[in-house]
Every structure is written in structure tokens, then in C-alpha cells.
Amino acid sequence: MSGRDAEFYVGYLPKAPGRLGASLRRIVLGLNLLAAAVALTLIFAQAPFADSRFEFLQYRDYEGVLVRDPYPSLLVKRPGAMDGVPSFARYLLVAEGKRGFVPGAELEARLVRLRGSLIHREDQRMVEVLPQSLTPAGGEPLPKLEWTGLGEAALYGEIVDTKCYLGVMNPGEGKVHRECAARCISGGVPPGLRVRDTEGNSFVVLLAGADGRPLNREVLDFVAEPVRIDGKLSRLGDTLILRAEPSTFYRLAGSRP
Amino acid sequence: MSLHYVAVGWNRQKKIYDSILAGSLTLYLALFALLGSLVHPNATIETLLIRGFGTAAFLLLHVILCIGPLARLDRRFLPLLYNRRHLGVTMFLLALTHGVFSIVQFHAQGDENPLASIFLANRRYASLADFPFQPLGFFALLILFLMASTSHDFWLRNLTAPVWKRLHMMVYAAYGLLVAHVTLGALQSERSPVLAVLLGIGMACVLSLHLAAAAKERRVDERQPATGGDGFVEVCAVEKIPLNRAVTVSLGGERVAVFRYDGKVSALSNVCQHQNGPLGEGRIVDGCVTCPWHGYQYLPDCGAAPPPFTEKVPTFRTRVVDGKVYVHPKPFPAGTRCEPARIDGNVQEVAV
Ligand code: HEM
Ligand code: FES
């Protein structure tokens, strides 16, 4: 039996015996170093965070044409539009929380004003509309802008809720975000398919039913995991939409893209 | 060891213990959130806090689980055990913060009750890789809540020690749930193998320390002394028991602590009535057997705590013949006085 064993610690006595106190200090120091090492390792091992933004509690005014094709969006004219660049930018519209935005049908295709917080990732944008801030800006309904068909396409990716993916949460995709993505899409946030182009850039293609209807609960079982979707791809301005029936979505088991 | 319960009994050692704990945790969380937001300027603070609190709780749980076997293997860790209850409650509060933040962040302000949403948002219960990991965290948190809320000695007494002990053994179920919570959650999203390696190291520590401590106890249990004709069992030579300490033997499947003090030998059950601490690893302080874990005391000749305390442990008859210690394996009811065996002549003291 070694010498240190002779010292005996009784917690309710005011002071621990000398040698025990010394080894205790070493143990406590060791545990603190361990905690710091774990914190540092975790900080540096976390996957990088996307450059996405949510201007929480910051509000801007917007003016543009309200459309529902099928997801409520504001088409805002770009100043000094050039050839080859779309003459307007699309801002998807959502409500606060995990909710879609539901504008009145009478404002469809009209010039409107609204106030809200900007959400953006790369050049894909969205506005969280401040309640009661949507007002008509006058004028007659504008001619409807049509999607241009790009033909059949098979896209691989992950279904995300556009609100979190574009900036409200970071990370806004992947397994840890699955529950939240389901909650948001179920509440009316537009679902999108996060795809990668050949250069590895990620962007979102909106998803709609084969008949163009908005999708929400129908896609819940497929969110946040690798899927293949075969459908009709269309473009309007800088936005892509894939029209396909959820019953034909194909789950890719195994590797995550 | 009190007849009156105070909400939380703090003494000098516990105050030191708790302030060190609070300091270390503040350091960890500050490091995680502040350095985290410098290294990852795009990360949202909610994510860093959820991860900071979750990992702090999980790290602390590893420490808590390792202290028990460490104290068995090396007495220098015993002081950490003394106030382990505060570690447990603190760990629960960290986990609760992580859980509540997660529920608010991922489930609130939607079209479903946030608590129901934990179970309903992801329905892929039949898949392994996509299995809902949050319900696993929820059930673990529930267990930790039960343990934290019954951790006080008031509950220990009112639930009775065996029920309480069983309840608190559920910490291992909680640990298993949390390993799954992390493996099926964060590890499915993160790409770095470092996190999986870290979890593996944590699990290896918990497992190997428990196995090592169990092996040590098995050695005591396997040392089955021979029984004499009169039922007394030879334990060891008198000088094998250091003065004011004990040797632990297994008699008829029960561990018995045999103490030498004041030229006498007494034997008691090894199991402390408080939280089953090993009395045989304790020591005689002020004439009382003193438990190494939280210092509960028992008179060596009758196994009863000195008044006004009321804990009692079973006692055993002892005998010393020709410098050898014998114990009768049949226990007397807890608290029964049992004449200590006298040691005739001098004992060759073993240096301790
Ligand atoms: C209602 C209960 C719980 C919920 C809803 C929950 C939710 C979550 C979520 C959503 C994540 C992923 C966060 C991310 O990576 O961004 C996570 C990770 C984690 N959780 Fe929990 N959790 C719960 C309980 C617990 C408990 C009781 C503990 C441990 C004591 C714990 C420890 C962890 C750890 C260590 C991680 C991995 C690190 C991290 O990514 O944060 N969780 N949890
Ligand atoms: S187990 Fe707590 S004092 Fe013995």
C-alpha cells in the first residue's frame, strides 16, 4: 500500500489532507485541459457553414409584382436590365415562423408593396413578410409571366425547406435538420430540391406537382435524404422549377450527395 | 447523514467543488461560442449554443460515469465522487438547455405541437441512417430528469435504497440512448471523422474503466476462504489488516468489511446504507467506520450510525486465534451488537 493511501478524504471536514489536496488539484487541472481540448477539437471539426443570411429583426421595403406560380413570390424589377440577364429578381415570400405566406387572391399579378426581412444565399432570395405590411401599389394587373419549358430532367439532390436552407438556419440541410425541414414544409414553406451543378455549386430548384400545384405534406417523407426526382424542368428568370408527382420520387439509399 | 433535510447542503468542500465546476463549464461554453463564431463567422449563435450545451452535457456525463470506477481503482479520485450529485444535476441542466433550445429552434412556431413534433416530424422509424434521433435524446433527457429530481437524500430514503439505486442505474440506459442520439444525428451530418473518433474514445474510456473496476471486485469475490468446522471462515493474518482500516472478503456471496482498530477486530457488511458505497475501502475516523464516498459513519461493533443518525448495516461475529482472523458468514440483523474479537499480543504493524 503506498503512502498516499494513508490519507483519507472526508468531504464534510473543512480541508482535504495536504497530499490528497495536491493530487486533487492535478486531477481538476487535467479535467479542465480535457474539456478545453474537446471544445477546440469540436470547433475545428465542425463542417463549414454556408454563406447564407437572415436579416433577423431588420426590415426593408419592397415593391414588385405579386405572383403565385405556385409559390407566393415578389418579382422585383432590376434597374438597368441588360440583355441576357433577367429583367427582374424573384423574392420567395414566407411568413414568420415555420409558415408559408398566404396573400389574398385579389392581389395576384398586381404591383404591391411589402415590408420584411431579407433571407438570401448566393443570389437566391426570400423575404419573411411582416404581418399586415402587404398593400396594393395601384395599377392594373400585369400580363402573366410564363415558365419556359426545358424538357424532361432527372435531378439528384436533397429536399430542403427553402426558408431554412436560404438562411434562417445554418446548417439548414442534412440529417440534423430533417425534423425542422419537415415542420417548415408542412407549415407551407416552399419545398426545393438542393442540387449541385458540375462545378459543385449548390442551388435550389423549386418543386411542384406534375400539374403545377404547390407541394407540402406530400413530400415530407422524402426530406433531408438523397433522392432522385424525374420531372419537367422549367425556367422563369433566374428560377428553376421541377414538376413531378411525389409518388414517383425515388429514394437513394446509402451515400448522401 | 442528517435527520433534517435542507434543500441543498453546502459545506466548504462542496462550495469549492461547485465553484470549480461552474468555472470550468463557463470556460467550455464561452470557448465554444466565442471561438466558434470567430472560426465560423457564418454559423448562427443558436446552432453554436445548441451544440455547446449538448456537447458540454455529454462530456460531463462521461466524467460522471468514469468517476465511479476510477475511485474504485485509485483512491485519489474519491473526492470527486463525494459531490457527484451536483455534477449530475448540473449535467441535467446543461442537457435541458440543449433540449429546450433544440425544441424551440426545430419545432416551435409550426403547424404541430412542438413536443409531438419531436416524434412525428421524421417518421422514418424503419430506416437506420434516417432514424429519428431526437426522440432518443428526449427519452434520455427524461431519465436524467428523473434522476436529477430524485437525487436528494430525501428521495433516497423515501424510495428506499434499492429502488433508488435501480432508478439511478438507468443512467446507463440514458448513456446508450445518447450514444445513439449522437451517432444517428450529428454523425450522419458531419463529414469529419474526428467526431466519430472522439465518441469512440469516450465510449472506450467508460467501458474499459467499468471492466477494470469489475475485475478488481471479482478478485475479492473469487477469494473464497475455507470454512472451519464451527462455521467460522479464516480471512487473513491479523497484520494483513492495516490499523484503522479493513480487508474486504466475500463470504457466502456477500461482501464483508473486516476492520482492525484499538486492538480489536469487527466485521460489517461492506455495503453503505447511503448509496452502497464500499465501507471496506473506508477507514475508522473518531472511532467510527467512515464510508469513503460521502463519509457516513457506523460504530464498528454494532453497525449502527452514532445517534442521532439511524443508518444500520448487518454485523458478523469475529474471532482471532493464533494471529489469524476468522469471521462467521451468517450476518446478524442490521445494527446488532457483536462483541469484537480481541487481539492478544502485539501486531507487527505494516507500514501504510
Ligand atoms: C428533448 C431532447 C433533445 C433534443 C430535441 C435534442 C436535439 C438535438 C439536435 C437537433 C441535435 C443536432 C444539433 C446540430 O448538430 O446542429 C442534437 C445533437 C446533440 N445532442 Fe441532443 N437533443 C436532446 C437531448 C439531448 C441530451 C439529453 C443530450 C446529452 C446529455 C444531448 C446531447 C447531444 C449531443 C452531444 C449532440 C451532438 C453535438 C451537436 O451537434 O450538438 N441531447 N441534439
Ligand atoms: S455511500 Fe454515501 S456515504 Fe456511503
Side-chain angles (χ1 to χ4, degrees):
Chain A
M1 218 173 272
S2 60
R4 61 171 189 263
D5 270 4
E7 293 187 336
F8 185 65
Y9 176 86
V10 182
Y12 47 77
L13 299 182
K15 203 161 169 0
R19 206 123 39 112
L20 246 184
S23 53
L24 196 53
R25 274 190 287 280
R26 273 199 302 278
I27 292 174
V28 167
L29 183 68
L31 284 174
N32 274 292
L33 289 178
L34 174 77
V38 169
L40 286 175
T41 311
L42 289 172
I43 287 169
F44 286 100
Q46 282 175 100
F49 290 82
D51 188 5
S52 61
R53 292 270 179 281
F54 173 35
E55 298 184 346
F56 184 55
L57 295 180
Q58 282 169 259
Y59 304 104
R60 300 173 193 250
D61 292 305
Y62 296 87
E63 185 175 305
V65 179
L66 185 81
V67 296
R68 288 185 302 175
D69 58 352
Y71 300 107
S73 308
L74 194 69
L75 304 182
V76 177
K77 224 169 138 90
R78 287 183 204 270
M82 292 178 300
D83 277 354
V85 178
S87 56
F88 59 88
R90 176 185 293 262
Y91 290 78
L92 286 163
L93 300 179
V94 289
E96 289 174 315
K98 299 173 176 47
R99 298 281 182 179
F101 182 68
V102 188
E106 72 285 359
L107 291 177
E108 173 96 47
R110 283 183 184 262
L111 202 60
V112 296
R113 288 200 191 94
L114 56 83
R115 204 171 154 70
S117 305
L118 180 64
I119 299 163
H120 67 103
R121 179 163 179 165
E122 309 283 327
D123 53 3
Q124 296 194 291
R125 302 173 203 80
M126 174 180 265
V127 173
E128 185 187 272
V129 183
L130 206 58
Q132 268 96 49
S133 72
L134 177 67
T135 51
E140 288 299 304
L142 299 162
K144 203 164 176 235
L145 292 165
E146 294 297 339
W147 294 91
T148 312
L150 301 178
E152 301 280 338
L155 297 186
Y156 293 80
E158 173 184 320
I159 299 178
V160 295
D161 74 286
T162 46
K163 186 175 184 185
C164 289
Y165 179 79
L166 294 181
V168 170
M169 290 192 192
N170 202 345
E173 61 190 302
K175 175 79 189 277
V176 292
H177 194 259
R178 181 177 181 126
E179 280 81 349
C180 181
R183 202 66 296 127
C184 285
I185 293 171
S186 175
V189 171
L193 186 67
R194 196 271 296 124
V195 295
R196 290 216 169 88
D197 65 16
T198 42
E199 276 130 50
N201 303 313
S202 300
F203 59 96
V204 161
V205 177
L206 291 176
L207 289 174
D211 55 356
R213 72 182 183 284
L215 292 178
N216 44 63
R217 299 205 177 164
E218 293 166 82
V219 307
L220 293 191
D221 276 352
F222 295 95
V223 298
E225 57 180 297
V227 289
R228 190 186 86 197
I229 302 179
D230 302 321
K232 286 203 169 66
L233 193 63
S234 306
R235 174 192 293 280
L236 176 55
D238 49 11
T239 310
L240 289 171
I241 195 164
L242 185 65
R243 296 196 178 92
E245 276 313 296
S247 54
T248 67
F249 289 4
Y250 185 72
R251 183 176 274 141
L252 303 167
S255 74
R256 292 171 174 279
Chain B
M1 187 170 176
S2 128
L3 292 177
H4 311 284
Y5 299 102
V6 280
V8 188
W10 263 292
N11 55 35
R12 182 170 179 275
Q13 297 287 347
K14 284 194 186 182
K15 278 184 194 147
I16 298 176
Y17 195 111
D18 289 351
S19 18
I20 292 175
L21 177 61
S24 308
L25 286 173
T26 311
L27 195 80
Y28 180 93
L29 293 170
L31 194 62
F32 204 98
L34 297 180
L35 189 63
S37 47
L38 284 180
V39 175
H40 302 286
N42 290 330
T44 55
I45 189 68
E46 301 93 283
T47 299
L48 291 176
L49 287 178
I50 285 175
R51 293 182 177 179
F53 276 97
T55 53
F58 201 40
L59 178 63
L60 191 53
L61 178 59
H62 278 86
V63 172
I64 291 170
L65 289 176
C66 289
I67 287 177
L70 270 175
R72 280 287 163 86
L73 296 167
D74 185 335
R75 310 181 62 86
R76 284 174 297 175
F77 287 93
L78 272 172
L80 296 184
L81 198 72
Y82 174 59
N83 206 10
R84 185 162 57 164
R85 188 173 95 197
H86 289 198
L87 286 188
V89 173
T90 307
M91 187 261 301
F92 163 69
L93 293 176
L94 291 168
L96 182 68
T97 310
H98 162 85
V100 169
F101 271 23
S102 295
I103 293 171
V104 170
Q105 169 98 333
F106 297 118
H107 301 277
Q109 287 193 292
D111 60 350
E112 179 69 86
N113 174 314
L115 282 180
S117 176
I118 295 177
F119 300 91
L120 299 176
N122 177 3
R123 296 169 194 247
R124 296 270 283 138
Y125 287 91
S127 156
L128 185 61
D130 292 295
F131 191 88
F133 70 103
Q134 295 194 27
L136 303 170
F138 178 85
F139 286 121
L141 189 62
L142 205 65
I143 293 178
L144 299 181
F145 167 73
L146 281 180
M147 291 179 45
S149 58
T150 60
S151 69
H152 200 274
D153 280 0
F154 169 81
W155 285 103
L156 176 55
R157 247 168 219 267
N158 283 279
L159 291 172
T160 72
V163 173
W164 189 90
K165 189 87 188 171
R166 226 172 297 144
L167 183 70
H168 284 244
M169 289 301 274
M170 280 167 66
V171 72
Y172 294 103
Y175 182 66
L177 286 168
L178 288 171
V179 168
H181 175 66
V182 174
T183 310
L184 298 176
L187 291 190
Q188 301 292 314
S189 281
E190 295 290 339
R191 269 159 271 165
S192 164
V194 173
L195 300 170
V197 169
L198 215 56
L199 178 64
I201 294 176
M203 290 170 67
C205 287
V206 170
L207 198 68
S208 58
L209 284 171
H210 277 81
L211 289 178
K216 190 178 176 192
E217 300 201 336
R218 206 167 333 109
R219 280 199 293 280
V220 172
D221 290 345
E222 276 167 3
R223 204 168 356 113
Q224 289 287 352
T227 314
D230 53 0
F232 274 85
V233 171
E234 183 186 324
V235 172
C236 61
V238 172
E239 66 267 16
K240 272 281 169 64
I241 312 180
L243 183 61
N244 290 331
R245 313 205 72 146
V247 154
T248 309
V249 281
S250 175
L251 297 179
E254 195 177 342
R255 288 196 201 124
V256 179
V258 188
F259 278 90
R260 175 162 79 84
Y261 58 103
D262 271 355
K264 293 182 276 192
V265 170
S266 286
L268 315 171
S269 159
N270 188 49
V271 184
C272 177
Q273 278 307 286
H274 178 223
Q275 286 179 17
N276 299 1
L279 290 179
E281 290 170 31
R283 174 171 194 177
I284 306 270
V285 176
D286 297 333
C288 288
V289 169
T290 306
C291 178
W293 282 9
H294 315 90
Y296 272 41
Q297 291 190 311
Y298 305 87
L299 293 165
D301 57 348
C302 63
F309 305 113
T310 52
E311 290 76 22
K312 290 187 182 82
V313 293
T315 50
F316 297 82
R317 272 183 292 160
T318 51
R319 180 188 283 176
V320 175
V321 180
D322 293 338
K324 294 227 164 78
V325 176
Y326 297 81
V327 176
H328 199 286
K330 190 170 175 310
F332 283 126
T336 309
R337 195 187 132 74
C338 209
E339 190 58 34
R342 303 226 155 251
I343 305 168
D344 301 319
N346 287 335
V347 176
Q348 190 84 46
E349 287 301 345
V350 189
V352 282

